[in-house]
Amino acid sequence: MPIQIDLGSSSPRKAPEAKGLIVGIDLGTTNSLVAYARDGRPEVLKGENGETLLPSVLEIDASGKARQIGQGAKALRGSRPEDVLFSVKRLMGRTLKDISEDARRQIPYELVDDVASHQVKVKVGDRLLSPIEISAQILRALKERAEKALGQKVDRAVITVPAYFDDAQRTATKAAGRIAGLEVLRVFNEPTAAALGYGWSFEKPGTIAVFDLGGGTFDVSILRLEAAVLEVLATSGDTQLGGDDFDAALAEAAWNAFHASGLDLDTLDAAQQRHLRAEILAAAEEAKIRLGDVTTTEIRLGPAWFAGGASADKASFTITREAAEKLWAPLVDRAIERCRSALADAKLAPADLDDVVLVGGSTRLAYVQRRVEDFFGRKPNRTLHPDEAVALGAAVQADVLAGGTTDVVLIDVVPLSLGLETMGGVVEKLIPRNSTIPCGATQTFTTYADNQTGFDLHVLQGERETADACRSLARFTLRGVPPMVAGAARVEISFQVDADGILHVAAHEQMSGVAATIQVKPSYGLTDEEVERMLLESFDHAEEDLAERNLRIERIEADRILAATRAAMEKDARLLDADVEAATRAAMADLERLVAGTDHVAIRHGIEALDRASKPFAERRMNLAVEAAMKGKSIDEVERDLPAHPEVR
Amino acid sequence: MRPFSSLGLKPFLWADEAAQKQIQARFYELSRKLHPDRTSHLPDEEREASEAQAAALNADYAKLRDVWRLMESVLATAKPDAGAPRKSGPPPSLAMEYFELQERLEDEGPSDELRVAADELRAEVEAEVRAAEAETLEVARRFPFAGFASQGADAPVPWTSADLASLAERLDRVRFGRSFLRDFDAKFARA
């Protein structure tokens, strides 16, 4: 029985008893949509005013909840930089250092690195919000929209992600779905979803490229279409490249021009600068759209920004379409480079393709269309709805998973190589990029020193050769390997990538029946406990105040720990020193008294005090379990015997 | 024998375009049965078993559609120690020239003259690699795609151990040459 180290979502894969409808969701950087397939025919579900797009923008109140989501919040973007959040998808599964300096400068709300969960968080007032919980609020709004439109309960979904999303970003998306009260049946690649709308029921087989440039991310996928089969041959992309960057390029130029024409930035404090940036950025997005129709446009500022007022020419920045395209060229260069790489991986030349399909709002830019045409040597196909194609494809996939009428199988790939760090910080790739999923690989490791009893393993994703240049997915320690001469132990590590593109790792020692214990510290994102906590926090407690919610959570936690400690003391009384026992019992009595009260902070302190008091006892139990393991008990037994408190992660 | 058995194929080393089409059709047919999208309604155990089968199918298909990976895989199955590539170095006939060039690069630093000499040497090695590749593919072509195996039976291999030895020797020269070219390019990138 191998030890399972689950790096993926912990949500059970089996459908729950409750059977609501399954919808397809496109959780976009700038806009989100929800769609549903009736009798195999997908349609986008509309909001109260008949609108299909839900802008992925939230106005956040002091308790961290959205006051409004969508168009109303978007209208506030330019004027309320601190508490109007947008483009949060770009933060999913990321830390601050993953986000480029340029991108960060254009985000007017405050970002903070959360060391404990290894992810960036958004600071609104004195609340820290993870991108996962913010995205969950958007998902919940879509869920409500769908329930209203369909008149039935919706509890499961297929959620699309950029094909180039890595493991951390996929896992984060799945967690967001779960927090929103949706069972995520599949995390589905956006260009593959779009291709599904393009027409999988091909009479004549063909090979196409899907060029998907959205608000914040870029993907290119090369696909083969046949009757009832859609196979992805290769995919590439950039999860930090999209329409936002086109806006940012214009905004940066405008900022510099205003600066040069006499807007004294030094007189503005940090908050004012944030306001100014937010205002320019919102104006830049509008200017970008106008440049589709006119060859010259301007970005205008209120005269209040200029000390002593300003003449009209100072408060306005004029830009021609040609100049804008110069600013955008490096961005499109990056996308074209990715197309080249995907074609090379598919072992194809542009001329081998039967069609090039555009999706994503940013492919509306004539400049992008021109560059795509230049590269592929053919006019791109613009028949798919740039905003809706992905959601419609997700709805079709939802229908497939629901056992509906659609008969198509999607054969997709893993976008980035997966590997392990070996001696000297070099990455050994176990699963190369563009491997068809599901897929697996195993690697056997041996000890390099006599009597070595543990291995440190480091799981990585990326194309670079060195560990520090790849994304760290998890570090864990494999312990309890029996002392042997160097090279005698055989530990097999196996990687499995599921149909969501999410990695699961298992390990076991082969040479002896001796079990190994394991410690997993996910390098990123949320632990299961954090997801559970958010789930509790978010569910239907909207009217309760924050303290009440926290109190419930801490009480549940305290009860759990009290029960676990009590059980452990009964079971392993012989491991308990008199003074440790006295201290533990005192801490337990304190905590019981606090649980009866209403102060959640005090309960948290009580839990921590119990943790400290019982620590020597917990450690002894842990050692005992490891000893037992080394005497040859099965891993199953050891896992059962491991102390419930503190938990082994 | 993997990678043939999971797709029910008789062992082969060479598949032309028509054969590739047939293999792909079989792969699609099996994927339609085994893909996780199609098995989500099954009980856990069956679902997991078919996911494992799907993973094996995907791994095998990746080998079957690339002749080099297929040859590597067949050799690794038949003779587990034959798979390890030799340490990289220049082909013996060109070794002297290579070492001279390397010495000059270290002593004199990069120069136009040196670059021309390096390019010439590289072209010669590349020609050797191409020749070795052609010879290797010649062996592969002797074992063309032979269609589907009858149900349940493990089809016999069409090659002898002498065939495999000759394949291993040639493939070794290819690997050796390719890895030399990689090292060479890294070293002389500055020249």
Side-chain angles (χ1 to χ4, degrees):
Chain A
M1 171 75 189
I3 312 147
Q4 286 294 329
I5 313 152
D6 205 336
L7 300 179
S9 156
S10 62
S11 65
R13 294 179 50 191
K14 253 181 91 158
E17 285 311 304
K19 288 290 180 207
L21 299 176
I22 311 178
V23 293
I25 291 178
D26 174 3
L27 179 61
T29 309
T30 40
N31 292 302
S32 298
L33 299 90
V34 56
Y36 178 72
R38 236 185 284 262
D39 306 321
R41 284 222 306 280
E43 60 175 302
V44 175
L45 301 175
K46 293 178 177 153
E48 274 164 4
N49 304 315
E51 73 284 13
T52 52
L53 300 183
L54 178 73
S56 306
V57 185
L58 309 88
E59 183 201 358
I60 299 290
D61 69 16
S63 74
K65 296 282 165 243
R67 193 172 287 135
Q68 54 174 336
I69 299 176
Q71 200 54 53
K74 190 181 176 183
L76 299 172
R77 235 184 85 173
S79 55
R80 297 263 300 280
E82 307 85 5
D83 57 1
V84 175
L85 309 182
F86 58 91
S87 296
V88 170
K89 183 176 180 179
R90 301 190 103 174
L91 310 177
M92 292 286 270
R94 306 282 83 166
T95 60
L96 210 46
K97 77 169 167 50
D98 298 326
I99 301 159
S100 75
E101 200 59 49
D102 285 350
R104 217 184 301 172
R105 209 176 20 241
Q106 295 300 341
I107 296 175
Y109 48 85
E110 200 176 340
L111 298 180
V112 190
D113 241 342
D114 184 48
V115 179
S117 64
H118 204 77
Q119 63 174 335
V120 64
K121 288 195 172 172
V122 178
K123 190 158 184 255
V124 181
D126 51 4
R127 295 268 309 183
L128 282 184
L129 301 174
S130 82
I132 295 176
E133 49 190 320
I134 299 166
S135 299
Q137 299 199 47
I138 298 173
L139 289 171
R140 200 173 307 113
L142 293 169
K143 176 179 187 261
E144 281 163 16
R145 172 183 284 195
E147 286 176 338
K148 244 178 228 159
L150 297 167
Q152 279 186 69
K153 186 172 152 194
V154 169
D155 57 6
R156 290 169 293 168
V158 169
I159 302 180
T160 61
V161 294
Y164 216 57
F165 253 22
D166 67 22
D167 197 272
Q169 294 165 308
R170 283 166 198 270
T171 307
T173 304
K174 241 181 145 166
R178 202 168 147 220
I179 291 166
L182 290 166
E183 189 196 357
V184 181
L185 295 181
R186 180 74 81 239
V187 174
F188 189 30
N189 292 332
E190 285 161 9
T192 314
L196 209 42
Y198 175 81
W200 45 268
S201 53
F202 248 45
E203 286 302 313
K204 175 169 81 69
T207 307
I208 66 166
V210 176
F211 184 101
D212 179 359
L213 186 61
T217 59
F218 169 69
D219 282 324
V220 54
S221 286
I222 313 294
L223 300 107
R224 188 166 173 77
L225 311 177
E226 283 211 6
V229 175
L230 203 155
E231 183 190 8
V232 180
L233 300 175
T235 197
S236 187
D238 187 332
T239 59
Q240 303 289 332
L241 174 63
D244 281 4
D245 299 292
F246 290 69
D247 303 344
L250 286 185
E252 197 62 24
W255 172 274
N256 292 336
F258 289 131
H259 190 25
S261 71
L263 175 56
D264 190 0
L265 298 176
D266 299 335
T267 63
L268 303 177
D269 63 23
Q272 284 172 315
Q273 290 210 13
R274 263 213 297 280
H275 266 270
L276 179 58
R277 283 211 181 270
E279 192 178 319
I280 294 178
L281 189 61
E285 190 198 342
E286 288 163 15
K288 175 184 75 178
I289 295 166
R290 281 198 303 275
L291 282 175
D293 299 321
V294 297
T295 53
T296 301
T297 191
E298 51 180 16
I299 292 174
R300 215 168 246 298
L301 284 188
W305 288 107
F306 295 82
S311 55
D313 63 314
K314 273 190 180 174
S316 146
F317 164 69
T318 303
I319 186 158
T320 63
R321 190 191 285 165
E322 202 187 338
E325 290 180 353
K326 272 214 183 77
L327 295 172
W328 296 335
L331 299 169
V332 183
D333 287 347
R334 274 159 66 192
I336 296 294
E337 202 36 60
R338 295 306 180 154
C339 294
R340 209 186 303 280
S341 150
L343 276 173
D345 281 356
K347 299 195 176 75
L348 293 172
D352 296 328
L353 298 173
D354 297 300
D355 205 355
V356 176
V357 182
L358 298 184
V359 279
S362 303
T363 60
R364 285 197 177 90
L365 286 177
Y367 176 61
V368 171
Q369 295 164 13
R370 219 161 57 229
R371 294 287 307 272
V372 171
E373 182 175 346
D374 286 348
F375 175 74
F376 287 101
R378 67 167 65 236
K379 265 219 173 315
N381 177 332
R382 292 169 54 206
T383 54
L384 285 190
H385 193 300
D387 297 316
E388 297 181 2
V390 168
L392 293 173
V396 172
Q397 171 71 341
D399 188 49
V400 170
L401 292 175
T405 51
T406 314
D407 180 30
V408 60
V409 61
L410 304 168
I411 303 173
D412 220 317
V413 299
V414 54
L416 293 151
S417 303
L418 290 156
L420 282 166
E421 179 174 348
T422 58
M423 299 282 277
V426 175
V427 182
E428 166 123 20
K429 286 173 183 147
L430 267 72
I431 295 181
R433 70 165 184 271
N434 289 322
S435 294
T436 303
I437 52 174
C439 58
T442 58
Q443 175 87 318
T444 305
F445 284 83
T446 189
T447 43
Y448 49 85
D450 285 346
N451 299 326
Q452 182 187 345
T453 56
F455 291 88
D456 288 326
L457 295 167
H458 189 192
V459 183
L460 297 147
Q461 185 162 30
E463 304 313 317
R464 305 284 292 279
E465 300 295 326
T466 56
D468 50 3
C470 286
R471 165 155 299 268
S472 168
L473 294 183
R475 287 173 185 279
F476 57 88
T477 305
L478 198 60
R479 290 180 203 288
V481 175
M484 290 187 236
V485 292
R490 291 255 175 277
V491 177
E492 194 184 80
I493 306 294
S494 74
F495 277 32
Q496 298 291 333
V497 180
D498 66 19
D500 292 331
I502 292 176
L503 175 69
H504 306 261
V505 180
H508 67 265
E509 210 288 316
Q510 297 179 301
M511 278 304 286
S512 55
V514 179
T517 56
I518 210 150
Q519 272 194 338
V520 188
K521 287 185 196 124
S523 306
Y524 62 83
L526 305 175
T527 60
D528 285 347
E529 286 76 10
E530 284 170 300
V531 172
E532 289 301 341
R533 177 182 294 249
M534 285 184 189
L535 203 55
L536 275 172
E537 267 187 336
S538 63
F539 257 144
D540 303 326
H541 298 314
E543 70 290 353
E544 291 177 39
D545 70 22
L546 194 59
E548 177 68 19
R549 206 151 52 223
N550 286 336
L551 179 62
R552 288 169 69 132
I553 292 160
E554 297 299 359
R555 274 183 180 156
I556 292 168
E557 179 73 358
D559 286 343
R560 193 182 66 78
I561 281 173
L562 283 167
T565 310
R566 226 173 269 127
M569 287 171 81
E570 251 168 55
K571 185 164 174 243
D572 287 323
R574 68 203 158 83
L575 298 177
L576 212 47
D577 286 343
D579 46 345
V580 175
E581 181 173 358
T584 304
R585 287 197 190 286
M588 286 170 76
D590 274 348
L591 184 55
E592 275 163 356
R593 184 176 50 77
L594 291 167
V595 167
T598 58
D599 182 350
H600 72 270
V601 177
I603 299 177
R604 169 77 358 215
H605 289 157
I607 291 169
E608 282 161 11
L610 175 55
D611 249 334
R612 279 192 302 275
S614 64
K615 198 165 176 240
F617 174 52
E619 277 169 359
R620 293 183 115 188
R621 299 188 71 228
M622 175 83 78
N623 290 339
L624 190 77
V626 173
E627 271 167 42
M630 295 178 55
K631 283 185 198 126
K633 278 203 202 173
S634 81
I635 293 162
D636 257 0
E637 287 170 294
V638 174
E639 277 181 340
R640 231 180 2 252
D641 288 347
L642 276 179
H645 171 238
E647 272 160 49
V648 184
R649 286 212 186 119
Chain B
M1 177 190 175
R2 298 274 300 269
F4 309 101
S5 51
S6 54
L7 281 93
L9 306 175
K10 289 184 182 158
F12 68 92
L13 290 179
W14 180 258
D16 59 17
E17 209 172 307
Q20 281 296 352
K21 280 254 163 298
Q22 289 190 58
I23 299 166
Q24 186 188 54
R26 172 58 67 93
F27 171 66
Y28 285 173
E29 183 191 326
L30 290 169
S31 289
R32 290 171 58 77
K33 285 200 194 101
L34 298 173
H35 193 280
D37 287 356
R38 319 284 286 195
T39 60
S40 49
H41 60 282
L42 295 177
D44 281 2
E45 235 166 74
E46 286 172 52
R47 213 190 51 236
E48 275 158 28
S50 71
E51 181 160 339
Q53 275 187 63
L57 175 71
N58 291 337
D60 289 345
Y61 180 56
K63 288 176 187 138
L64 292 169
R65 63 173 161 184
D66 178 320
V67 64
W68 299 101
R69 289 186 67 182
L70 179 59
M71 291 188 290
E72 297 279 4
S73 160
V74 165
L75 278 182
T77 311
K79 314 162 73 179
D81 358 324
R86 276 195 278 155
K87 262 201 149 40
S88 152
S93 60
L94 301 170
M96 278 308 278
E97 210 180 319
Y98 171 70
F99 289 125
E100 262 171 41
L101 272 183
Q102 202 177 4
E103 236 166 62
R104 284 181 56 196
L105 179 65
E106 270 158 30
D107 295 349
E108 303 164 19
S111 69
D112 280 353
E113 190 204 334
L114 204 57
R115 191 170 45 80
V116 171
D119 284 348
E120 272 170 23
L121 177 63
R122 194 189 187 287
E124 281 183 64
V125 177
E126 200 169 344
E128 291 229 342
V129 174
R130 299 287 163 257
E133 284 174 353
E135 281 181 41
T136 312
L137 292 179
E138 208 174 282
V139 177
R141 279 205 187 83
R142 284 169 42 209
F143 305 101
F145 179 68
F148 301 97
S150 49
Q151 200 78 42
D154 208 3
V157 295
W159 43 74
T160 65
S161 56
D163 293 328
L164 288 186
S166 132
L167 183 69
E169 186 267 326
R170 291 166 192 220
L171 196 53
D172 208 27
R173 274 167 50 212
V174 174
R175 287 196 205 112
F176 182 62
R178 284 180 182 172
S179 96
F180 169 72
L181 285 179
R182 262 199 307 277
D183 290 359
F184 183 92
D185 289 345
K187 201 159 278 161
F188 283 91
R190 299 177 295 130

